[in-house]
Amino acid sequence: MSDLKSFAHRVKSKNAELRAEILRKFGRDEDAGVLVLTLMLFIIMLVLGGMAVDFMRFESRRAALQSVADRAVLAAANLNQDAAPEIVLDEYFEKAGFDGSIVGTPEIDTRGGTRSVGVNAQLDLNTFYLRFIGIDQLAAPASSTAIEGSGDVEISLVLDISGSMRHGVSGTGKTRIELIREAASGFVTDLLKPEYKDQISISLVTYSSQVALSDELYAAINTNSTNVSDLTIPLDDNRLDPDHPDYNPLLQKVTLPDGTEEVTFLNPARCIVFPESEYAKAAFDTSLTYDQVATFQRRVFRAGHSNQNDDVAVSDQPDCPNSSFEQIIPVSQNLGELTTAIGKLEPRQFTSIYLGMKWGVTLLDPSMRDIIGNLSTTDAKFQSRPSDYVTTTNDVSTQKYLILMTDGRNQSGTRVRANHYDTVAEQLRWWEQNFPYANKSENRGTWPSLNENDVVQPHWPEADGDDRLQEICKAAREQGITIFAIAMGAPTHGEGEMKECATATPDTTETDGYYFENDGGEIDLIFQNIAEQITALRLSL
């Protein structure tokens, strides 16, 4: 029995030694080593090749998705497209086999004759080989935007030149009017570039208590003149004699129906009074006859003088501005004419924002087309402007912008009462003298003592001015006019009125991007911002 166990033990030991020897030989054997390396490299090449296949599939599908996105936004932005832009986008992606790939809500902005459509899309692609290294899907993105519009632009630039524009702006060493002259000049220069020739027209409106028209524009409107005739100026007065040094061309003899002669004063004011009802609409009623504004100066705002200087007789800043550079420049692309006028602007009288806004809107309204088209100053390319408004969001039309700027709030202002403007002598006096000077006892001469409340009356209460402003702003917005409103150092009440006037972001009540508040130190940047918005939306088509 012990011999048998001894034999078994030897066999077991022998087998163990044999296995150990085999393993030692196998470990030292280098035959087929290249095969192992080849197998490893093959697996790596297989994975890399598979990755290339996955990436090629990814790029192919991404390109297809991008192509669909590009075609879809172009179709959706088409202003002649009857279907809603959202529906057009969905149908394009669905028919191309990319249903459900649109990410989020498409950005659609339709205003006036412009439509902008933007879409983001993503396609999740299952991988074949990249999954072996833990990547199961690849996300193929696409993004596209299209804008369509006519590329033509009409702009009304409405600037406040009231008396408070003489105030300095902290940190600039300049007055408000100086800063506006620079900013507004830069604005028209940015827009009236050679590459935009015949596309952009700008109407310049400057306002204080009134807005002045040119002689030609004034003559094209039906007006009731303030002219009266009487013998308060004798028929043999030297001022009626063209050969006399005292000749005044504003005084003329007139022959009455009965053959007798009297003298009349030709009021040089080129401002008109809008009836209250006209502020509720953008159109200019050419069938109406508008009253002429009297030539009268209640306060004095001259450089180097106090507000109520009564030592100088001259009426150099009447309610109706009397300098050529203060007159409306309608529908122009003459950069030199516009910048020259802007560069001469000076602070004037009270603030009538509503009146500046009314004229700014009027010059964008098609009702003025015949009047403007017949002016000798109108560029031949713009004789058909103001263009028609857009009647539906699918029509292509010239886009209309209005930039309204003020540093204040609506003020009631004053006018001379009719019973102190109903003789030739009185009219001539107010043309020659401002009220503070005329009211000094030593300057009255044969004139009776003047009670200010008897001579001067408020034009409109401030609250009425605010109402008129919001009425015309609303009428403009309803016609698709985009309103940029700028409050430059204005009081809180004025800021509120301007913000309410400005265009709101579509589908919201927010005026971000259309309303600006600034003390004046960055007014040039605001005008640059607005110019960039206009050119980005319309002229890169």
Side-chain angles (χ1 to χ4, degrees):
M1 189 65 179
S2 60
D3 292 338
L4 183 59
K5 290 182 177 179
S6 178
F7 174 74
H9 178 72
R10 289 195 300 273
V11 171
K12 185 176 181 179
S13 298
K14 189 67 174 179
N15 288 339
E17 292 175 359
L18 181 60
R19 288 196 300 272
E21 182 63 24
I22 292 173
L23 289 174
R24 285 193 294 272
K25 289 182 178 182
F26 181 78
R28 292 191 298 268
D29 194 351
E30 296 181 357
D31 292 344
V34 175
L35 179 61
V36 175
L37 179 61
T38 300
L39 288 173
M40 294 177 62
L41 292 174
F42 177 76
I43 293 172
I44 294 173
M45 291 172 62
L46 186 63
V47 171
L48 291 176
M51 290 172 61
V53 171
D54 281 338
F55 284 130
M56 284 190 292
R57 289 177 57 243
F58 163 81
E59 181 58 26
S60 175
R61 297 299 285 169
R62 188 206 62 77
L65 182 65
Q66 183 64 55
S67 178
V68 172
D70 292 340
R71 296 197 306 272
V73 294
L74 286 172
N78 190 336
L79 291 167
N80 295 318
Q81 174 65 253
D82 294 330
E86 299 88 341
I87 295 176
V88 174
L89 291 172
D90 288 339
E91 289 182 350
Y92 261 80
F93 279 88
E94 181 180 354
K95 291 179 179 179
F98 296 114
D99 188 26
S101 61
I102 295 178
V103 177
T105 302
E107 296 179 0
I108 300 171
D109 184 4
T110 300
R111 69 180 77 175
T114 302
R115 179 179 293 162
S116 171
V117 178
V119 67
N120 294 312
Q122 180 173 301
L123 177 66
D124 293 329
L125 184 70
N126 292 326
T127 60
F128 291 155
Y129 299 97
L130 288 174
R131 67 178 59 248
F132 295 129
I133 58 175
I135 302 176
D136 296 330
Q137 285 187 332
L138 292 175
S143 179
S144 189
T145 301
I147 304 174
E148 181 165 324
S150 69
D152 291 334
V153 176
E154 293 174 10
I155 298 171
S156 280
L157 179 58
V158 184
L159 303 178
D160 185 345
I161 58 168
S162 59
S164 56
M165 290 293 290
R166 72 190 187 282
H167 293 314
V169 176
S170 178
T172 67
K174 298 179 181 179
T175 61
R176 294 174 180 175
I177 196 70
E178 289 173 330
L179 292 172
I180 278 296
R181 288 197 297 249
E182 294 173 0
S185 294
F187 175 79
V188 298
T189 301
D190 287 341
L191 289 170
L192 296 181
K193 294 180 178 179
E195 57 264 37
Y196 303 149
K197 182 176 173 57
D198 299 335
Q199 286 184 281
I200 296 180
S201 63
I202 297 177
S203 295
L204 177 64
V205 178
T206 60
Y207 69 92
S208 52
S209 56
Q210 278 290 341
V211 173
L213 286 61
S214 66
D215 288 344
E216 190 178 14
L217 180 56
Y218 180 82
I221 296 172
N222 298 322
T223 58
N224 277 325
S225 73
T226 63
N227 298 346
V228 296
S229 63
D230 57 35
L231 289 176
T232 56
I233 304 295
L235 292 173
D236 60 355
D237 193 292
N238 291 332
R239 290 170 294 183
L240 291 166
D241 182 359
D243 297 325
H244 196 278
D246 294 335
Y247 174 66
N248 185 340
L250 296 179
L251 288 175
Q252 292 187 3
K253 294 179 183 180
V254 295
T255 302
L256 301 181
D258 63 1
T260 61
E261 287 186 324
E262 290 185 346
V263 177
T264 188
F265 172 76
L266 302 179
N267 179 9
R270 293 297 175 257
C271 302
I272 63 172
V273 178
F274 282 103
E276 181 178 347
S277 60
E278 294 304 292
Y279 286 89
K281 56 187 179 182
F284 183 84
D285 192 340
T286 55
S287 68
L288 290 180
T289 299
Y290 298 87
D291 291 337
Q292 183 184 27
V293 172
T295 294
F296 180 76
Q297 182 167 332
R298 166 63 188 84
R299 296 196 303 188
V300 181
F301 288 120
R302 293 195 307 279
H305 293 78
S306 64
N307 290 356
Q308 295 296 328
N309 186 296
D310 57 6
D311 295 329
V312 182
V314 63
S315 179
D316 60 349
Q317 294 185 29
D319 288 334
C320 180
N322 57 1
S323 297
S324 60
F325 59 83
E326 296 168 304
Q327 297 172 351
I328 286 175
I329 299 178
V331 191
S332 174
Q333 62 176 338
N334 188 326
L335 178 60
E337 178 188 28
L338 290 164
T339 55
T340 297
I342 292 170
K344 293 180 179 179
L345 296 179
E346 293 289 347
R348 295 311 192 199
Q349 293 288 339
F350 300 94
T351 307
S352 299
I353 308 173
Y354 56 87
L355 187 56
M357 182 67 184
K358 174 59 179 175
W359 270 113
V361 174
T362 294
L363 292 168
L364 295 173
D365 192 89
S367 60
M368 286 292 288
R369 184 181 304 149
D370 289 343
I371 291 176
I372 291 176
N374 288 320
L375 298 178
S376 63
T377 55
T378 301
D379 193 300
K381 295 291 185 179
F382 294 151
Q383 288 181 342
S384 61
R385 294 192 179 191
S387 302
D388 289 337
Y389 290 119
V390 178
T391 55
T392 72
T393 56
N394 293 328
D395 289 339
V396 178
S397 178
T398 298
Q399 183 66 23
K400 300 171 187 280
Y401 297 93
L402 191 149
I403 295 86
L404 176 66
M405 168 269 156
T406 188
D407 75 329
R409 56 183 291 177
N410 285 311
Q411 295 175 291
S412 62
T414 56
R415 303 290 184 267
V416 60
R417 293 185 185 274
N419 63 327
H420 282 274
Y421 204 75
D422 56 0
T423 69
V424 175
E426 286 175 329
Q427 293 184 357
L428 181 63
R429 184 188 197 196
W430 298 129
W431 174 75
E432 293 175 338
Q433 300 178 5
N434 59 72
F435 180 79
Y437 177 88
N439 202 29
K440 289 183 70 172
S441 59
E442 60 265 33
N443 298 328
R444 292 197 188 113
T446 60
W447 291 87
S449 175
L450 301 176
N451 183 303
E452 181 170 341
N453 290 332
D454 290 339
V455 177
V456 176
Q457 64 179 347
H459 180 50
W460 270 345
E462 294 181 14
D464 288 354
D466 291 342
D467 291 342
R468 301 296 87 78
L469 174 62
Q470 297 311 325
E471 285 177 356
I472 188 59
C473 290
K474 181 175 181 290
R477 294 194 302 266
E478 288 177 347
Q479 294 291 2
I481 296 174
T482 301
I483 303 171
F484 294 96
I486 306 170
M488 177 183 174
T492 301
H493 182 84
E495 290 177 345
E497 292 296 322
M498 293 292 281
K499 186 171 185 179
E500 185 176 350
C501 177
T503 291
T505 303
D507 301 322
T508 75
T509 59
E510 297 300 319
T511 56
D512 294 345
Y514 301 99
Y515 170 69
F516 304 87
E517 289 180 13
N518 184 261
D519 65 358
E522 297 181 352
I523 193 68
D524 57 332
L525 298 180
I526 292 174
F527 274 95
Q528 288 175 22
N529 183 320
I530 295 172
E532 289 171 0
Q533 288 191 58
I534 292 174
T535 54
L537 280 175
R538 300 290 299 168
L539 299 176
S540 60
L541 311 179

